[in-house]
Amino acid sequence: MTRIGNYLWLPVLLLLAMLQTALFSYLRVLGVTVQAIVVVTLAWALWHGASEGLAWAFGGGLLIDLLSTGPLGVSSAALMLGVLAMSPLLNNLSSGRLLLPLLLGALGTLTFQLGSVLFLSLAGYAIPADALSALAPTVLVHTLLIVPIFWLVQAAERRLLRGRRVQL
Amino acid sequence: MNINESRRGLRWRFVIALFAAAFFLLFIDTSGQLGDPWQLLRDPVATLSGRFSGLSSALRRPADLAAAQAEITALRERLSVVERENEQLRGAQADYQRLVELFERVAAAPNYQRVPANIIGWAPNPLFRDLIIDRGSNDGIRVGMPVEAARGLVGQVYRTTPNSAQIILISDAQSFIPVRLSQSRAVGILGGGGAGGLMTLRWIDLEAQVLPNEIVVTSGLQGQSPQEIIANRFPPDIIVGRVLEVRRSEAELFQEAIIQPAVDFNALETVLVITDFTPVNVDVFDDSQP
């Protein structure tokens, strides 16, 4: 994991988990609840690669499961699956492109959603009737959010690192 | 930091270790072996979530209210003051109305002991319909206790920490509760997870004349094993919802109905946890009894 990722992952994911339960769960875009932890984790994986994305996915998934009545580990496994689905194309990503981040964001979100349903079914949990009908708008909304967050993470980190070099 | 270095290759041992850890947690959680350490972790996370709960109230206010207030302020300062006072009074009236409804609910069944609780958050996973309240085991909340609001049944306590509890809503796909139809008196099992937050009432006797708009209440029936008693720990005659549609086929042994919940879960702010009530005595059905 990169040095910045070492410091950031826990406070960022904790803050997102708090905001998710208290704020984002009330926000509905196209009838879909935005899952901030999922969006930020996939955006982080886009920028920092699969290894670091997997670590974020594991931690973020645990926080999602800790704050819901689902079994522990399901969201971790599904989110890691989402990052893994993106990983073959991550090396071809450059900061200026738009289409590839969009495509990878959609792929990661879709894999996460399907993985959640699959792992919950395997664990013997009932799946809501509208889980699959909500798939398309969920993927659309999350994909549209992942790209600007990906650019934001890039820009913030470049600025942060440039400032650090000047100090040294 | 070298981004390219982190992207160079995937360490498959690391990937396998993470997946193994996730599946190990999943296994021990579903087999009920996950112990106190995770409860200790849940408590501060849920308690911290409560610190942010005020943020959601700002979101739930009508968006045009602030703009309307700003316009009034610019036009006449005097009117602005009156508007603000009026708004405060309306807020107080809404609070009063909510408390009166809760009080009436408590007065309607005074033999139950209840603990009021504020909702401090919703589960971050949309596949689960559950919420977090600001009362936990320190306040006498225990797993399985029923939770109601002024308009009807909300759900059941699923998990507790010292200062918070997770409530599984009756509309959750994992929720199944014994209910009775108020007019036909037929009983059935109400399950959540339907499209659009609706619920399905199954196992209704085919001979029962179920009609749309019929009210559904808890039956109060319980099983006899400890697991059944915890899972079905609902007092009788709490309003659950109303019948939207009846699905009846002569080819089936039972009929089913689509039920709309009585409570608007998205508008909930305060709930009552029923901490004690006298359960229905089902010993008469036990063959071993004289």
Side-chain angles (χ1 to χ4, degrees):
Chain A
M1 199 184 285
T2 53
R3 193 175 295 171
I4 198 160
N6 266 335
Y7 294 125
L8 274 182
W9 76 271
L10 188 60
V12 168
L13 289 177
L14 263 176
L15 182 70
L16 285 174
M18 311 295 158
L19 290 173
Q20 179 73 53
T21 55
L23 188 69
F24 297 139
S25 293
Y26 293 95
L27 275 176
R28 290 197 156 248
V29 183
L30 297 177
V32 168
T33 307
V34 175
Q35 290 176 274
I37 291 177
V38 176
V39 170
V40 172
T41 298
L42 295 180
W44 193 267
L46 279 178
W47 178 228
H48 281 275
S51 292
E52 199 159 321
L54 280 168
W56 277 61
F58 183 76
L62 277 188
L63 281 172
I64 291 174
D65 290 335
L66 274 175
L67 288 166
S68 62
T69 54
L72 211 59
V74 160
S75 298
S76 285
L79 203 46
M80 287 193 293
L81 211 59
V83 173
L84 271 184
M86 291 162 45
S87 64
L89 289 173
L90 283 176
N91 288 333
N92 301 327
L93 205 64
S94 71
S95 56
R97 288 188 185 168
L98 174 66
L99 194 63
L100 200 55
L102 273 174
L103 189 74
L104 287 176
L107 184 66
T109 311
L110 181 68
T111 313
F112 164 71
Q113 299 292 341
L114 291 175
S116 294
V117 171
L118 174 74
F119 292 134
L120 277 175
S121 304
L122 290 176
Y125 277 69
I127 305 299
D130 48 7
L132 290 179
S133 61
L135 204 60
T138 304
V139 171
L140 178 70
V141 169
H142 283 188
T143 304
L144 292 177
L145 285 172
I146 284 170
V147 175
I149 289 174
F150 166 60
W151 287 337
L152 202 72
V153 168
Q154 271 184 333
E157 203 171 296
R158 279 179 178 155
R159 176 166 289 204
L160 201 72
L161 290 177
R162 194 170 27 190
R164 217 183 241 179
R165 277 188 201 126
V166 171
Q167 262 187 344
L168 285 170
Chain B
M1 185 199 65
N2 188 350
I3 301 299
N4 292 326
E5 191 180 10
S6 69
R7 284 188 189 159
R8 193 172 290 159
L10 209 54
R11 288 167 291 171
W12 285 102
R13 281 186 191 169
F14 176 62
V15 175
I16 292 166
L18 285 178
F19 269 99
F23 287 123
F24 175 71
L25 286 170
L26 175 61
F27 172 73
I28 58 171
D29 195 16
T30 49
S31 59
Q33 295 172 39
L34 202 63
D36 293 337
W38 290 103
Q39 298 298 342
L40 291 174
L41 196 60
R42 271 195 179 100
D43 188 45
V45 172
T47 307
L48 276 172
S49 290
R51 306 285 175 220
F52 291 86
S53 61
L55 292 172
S56 59
S57 58
L59 271 180
R60 283 180 284 171
R61 288 175 62 191
D64 59 340
L65 196 59
Q69 280 179 341
E71 194 179 8
I72 290 164
T73 308
L75 291 172
R76 290 185 185 179
E77 189 62 32
R78 172 73 183 152
L79 193 58
S80 164
V81 172
V82 173
E83 278 290 324
R84 268 190 233 114
E85 282 177 0
N86 192 26
E87 192 188 338
Q88 284 171 351
L89 287 171
R90 280 171 192 269
Q93 188 189 21
D95 287 343
Y96 170 76
Q97 190 62 37
R98 193 162 48 88
L99 290 171
V100 164
E101 284 178 358
L102 282 173
F103 178 76
E104 283 173 352
R105 176 63 211 151
V106 172
N111 49 334
Y112 304 149
Q113 291 179 3
R114 297 173 174 90
V115 173
N118 293 316
I119 292 162
I120 57 172
W122 283 80
N125 190 342
L127 289 175
F128 295 94
R129 298 275 298 157
D130 46 8
L131 44 87
I132 305 167
I133 57 171
D134 64 350
R135 299 292 183 122
S137 54
N138 285 349
D139 306 291
I141 309 293
R142 298 287 180 267
V143 171
M145 286 179 171
V147 180
E148 64 173 350
R151 293 191 176 177
L153 190 67
V154 172
Q156 194 172 25
V157 177
Y158 183 84
R159 197 181 270 142
T160 60
T161 71
N163 298 304
S164 70
Q166 288 176 331
I167 310 298
I168 182 168
L169 298 185
I170 53 174
S171 60
D172 187 281
Q174 322 304 325
S175 168
F176 296 94
I177 59 171
V179 295
R180 182 188 298 281
L181 290 151
S182 60
Q183 288 171 309
S184 59
R185 307 307 291 167
V187 292
I189 299 294
L190 185 71
L198 297 176
M199 305 176 289
T200 308
L201 178 54
R202 297 186 177 90
W203 312 110
I204 312 169
D205 190 341
L206 204 57
E207 291 181 0
Q209 293 298 315
V210 184
L211 297 170
N213 291 322
E214 197 170 345
I215 300 295
V216 181
V217 296
T218 50
S219 67
L221 294 174
Q222 299 180 335
Q224 286 182 326
S225 69
Q227 290 88 349
E228 285 175 322
I229 288 172
I230 288 174
N232 303 332
R233 202 170 183 270
F234 294 99
D237 297 326
I238 297 182
I239 293 175
V240 176
R242 68 185 177 93
V243 176
L244 273 188
E245 181 190 338
V246 183
R247 291 176 181 167
R248 184 186 168 93
S249 165
E250 296 299 332
E252 302 284 339
L253 289 174
F254 297 93
Q255 57 184 321
E256 61 179 40
I258 303 299
I259 309 297
Q260 184 180 37
V263 176
D264 178 4
F265 300 114
N266 293 324
L268 276 179
E269 290 176 44
T270 309
V271 293
L272 298 166
V273 183
I274 301 175
T275 54
D276 192 24
F277 66 94
T278 312
V280 174
N281 185 3
V282 291
D283 287 346
V284 290
F285 300 114
D286 190 352
D287 292 338
S288 62
Q289 295 290 321

